[in-house]
Amino acid sequence: MNQNNEGSAPSGSSYKPYYSYAPELKSEENASRGMPPASSSPVQPAPQSAPRTAPQTQRPPQSRPAQQQQPPAPQKKSRKGLWAGLTLLLVLVILIAAVYAAAVGTTGVGTGNKIAVIHINGEMYTGDYMYGSGIAGSDAICGHIRAAADNNSVKAIVLRIDSPGGTGSCSQEINMEIQRARDMGKPVVTSMGDMAASAAYYVASQTDYIYASPGTFTGSIGVIGRHVDNSQVYEDNGINVTVFKSGEMKDMGADYRELTAEEKRYWQHIIDTSFNTFVNDVAKGRGMSREEVLELADGRVYIGEDAKKNGLIDDYGNLYVAADKAAELAGISSYTLYYPDSVTLSSLLF
C-alpha cells in the first residue's frame, strides 16, 4: 500500500527509390533516320516469283439507313445510401440490445441465480479510470459491488484480483462496499490471480474466503512513503525557487528542498497510523490476533504456499472453485456467472 506525496519524433526517410529504365526511340524519329520502328521486324522484300493479285473493282458506296438514336441507358442508383441506412439500423439494434442486457443484469429483471464476478486488475487508486488502462479505479469497482449487492438475482460476489496494490484510501473505499454487501447477506469470496499484494491483499482480507494458487504472490502487509530531494539538481542547473506559504509544512514533500527533522517525524507518524489501521483490519477480517498479523507484517511478499501456512489465504483454487464456494455460502446449488464489468458496446458509449 503506497502513501505517495507526489520535439517531435524524427520522421522516417523520405527517399523513395525508383527503377531506372532506358527510354525507347520514338517511331517518328526512327522513320526520319531511315530505321524501322523498334518494335517491328526488318522489312523483307517480296520474292519475285510471288503472283500478283488482280486489282479489285471499287464498288460504289452504299447508303446505310440512319441509325435511330437510342435513349441513354438508365444509370443504376448508388447503393451507398442503402448500405449506410442498413448499417445505421444495425448499430441501433445492437445499442438497444446492449442497453437492455445491461439493464437486465443490474436491476434483477433476469431470472436464475447469479454470481457476480468483479475484477480488480492493475494498480489501485481512487477515482474512475478506463477499463484496461492498467489501473483499478475505486469508483467503478465500488459501483459494480454495490449494483451486485442490490441485484435480486445475484446471490454472491467473487472478486477476481490481480494487483500489486495501491493506495490505502482506494482499498478502504472498496472495503466499505464489501462490508455493505455482506451485511445484506451476499457472501464475497476472493479469487487471487498472479498477485494480490499490499492494498490488494487488504481488500481480500475483508472477504469471506480467499483462494489463491501455490504460485500466487500475496501479503506485503505494510505501508511505504517516499520523498525525492532534487535540491542539488536545481542548484546545479541554476534554478531558484521562491516559495510563499501559509504554514511551515505547506510545501512538505516538495522536491526542491530536503525535509526538515520535524517533517520527517510527521511523515513517519502518517506511515505508522496507516500501518496500524492496515494490521487491525487484516486481523479482524482474517480472524487473527494483532500479534499474529504483526509477525507477518514486515512488508514481505509471500508465495501462495507460505501464505496458506500462515493463514493469509484459506485454500488453493481458481475462479471457478471460488464461484462454487460463493454458491455454497449463499446456499444455492446452481448458478450462472455474471460479469458486470465486462466490456460491452453500451459500456464504451455511455
Side-chain angles (χ1 to χ4, degrees):
M1 180 168 60
N2 298 333
Q3 295 286 340
N4 295 335
N5 50 328
E6 313 237 336
S8 62
S11 60
S13 173
S14 60
Y15 171 73
K16 297 180 179 179
Y18 291 91
Y19 291 103
S20 61
Y21 62 95
E24 297 180 357
L25 294 175
K26 296 182 179 179
S27 58
E28 292 81 4
E29 295 176 353
N30 294 346
S32 63
R33 299 180 183 180
M35 300 173 58
S39 60
S40 63
S41 302
V43 178
Q44 300 293 338
Q48 295 296 329
S49 60
R52 295 182 178 181
T53 58
Q56 297 180 356
T57 307
Q58 294 184 353
R59 297 180 180 179
Q62 297 179 356
S63 61
R64 298 180 179 178
Q67 295 182 352
Q68 296 181 355
Q69 187 175 1
Q70 300 292 337
Q75 297 182 353
K76 295 183 179 180
K77 294 183 179 180
S78 175
R79 296 186 177 179
K80 293 182 178 179
L82 177 60
W83 286 113
L86 292 176
T87 302
L88 180 60
L89 179 60
L90 179 61
V91 171
L92 290 175
V93 171
I94 294 175
L95 281 175
I96 294 173
V99 172
Y100 175 77
V104 170
T106 57
T107 61
V109 178
T111 60
N113 296 326
K114 297 179 183 178
I115 293 179
V117 179
I118 300 172
H119 295 84
I120 301 178
N121 292 339
E123 296 186 26
M124 300 165 56
Y125 295 97
T126 59
D128 190 17
Y129 296 88
M130 182 180 296
Y131 186 88
S133 64
I135 296 178
S138 61
D139 288 4
I141 296 170
C142 289
H144 291 314
I145 297 175
R146 176 165 289 240
D150 294 338
N151 189 329
N152 295 330
S153 63
V154 173
K155 306 304 180 183
I157 299 171
V158 172
L159 299 181
R160 179 64 167 166
I161 303 178
D162 195 352
S163 168
T167 64
S169 54
C170 176
S171 55
Q172 289 164 355
E173 286 189 358
I174 297 172
N175 290 344
M176 293 177 188
E177 294 301 324
I178 293 174
Q179 188 59 50
R180 177 179 180 270
R182 296 177 67 189
D183 290 342
M184 295 176 64
K186 303 289 179 76
V188 183
V189 175
T190 292
S191 169
M192 293 182 175
D194 292 325
M195 177 179 290
S198 195
Y201 180 75
Y202 193 176
V203 169
S205 69
Q206 304 306 296
T207 62
D208 293 287
Y209 212 84
I210 301 176
Y211 284 99
S213 298
T216 298
F217 285 169
T218 187
S220 187
I221 302 173
V223 184
I224 185 173
R226 63 179 181 269
H227 171 255
V228 179
D229 179 9
N230 286 326
S231 57
Q232 187 63 48
V233 177
Y234 280 79
E235 182 179 348
D236 293 344
N237 288 275
I239 300 174
N240 297 318
V241 179
T242 303
V243 179
F244 304 92
K245 55 186 179 180
S246 59
E248 289 300 319
M249 291 189 178
K250 187 59 181 175
D251 64 340
M252 183 182 72
D255 72 336
Y256 49 76
R257 68 174 180 85
E258 64 178 354
L259 295 172
T260 66
E262 182 181 1
E263 289 171 337
K264 291 178 180 179
R265 287 192 296 271
Y266 187 69
W267 260 120
Q268 192 59 52
H269 164 73
I270 293 174
I271 298 300
D272 292 341
T273 301
S274 301
F275 175 69
N276 288 331
T277 302
F278 193 173
V279 170
N280 291 338
D281 287 348
V282 169
K284 181 179 179 180
R286 294 300 299 161
M288 302 169 66
S289 67
R290 174 180 169 82
E291 289 69 27
E292 289 175 322
V293 176
L294 281 174
E295 291 180 1
L296 305 172
D298 59 0
R300 77 179 65 187
V301 173
Y302 292 91
I303 197 168
E305 293 185 10
D306 293 333
K308 188 173 184 295
K309 293 176 183 177
N310 289 290
L312 294 179
I313 68 172
D314 292 297
D315 208 346
Y316 302 142
N318 57 20
L319 170 63
Y320 303 101
V321 174
D324 287 341
K325 184 64 177 182
E328 175 189 335
L329 295 176
I332 58 176
S333 58
S334 62
Y335 63 87
T336 58
L337 293 181
Y338 160 55
Y339 299 83
D341 57 3
S342 61
V343 178
T344 62
L345 185 58
S346 61
S347 68
L348 295 174
L349 296 178
F350 302 102

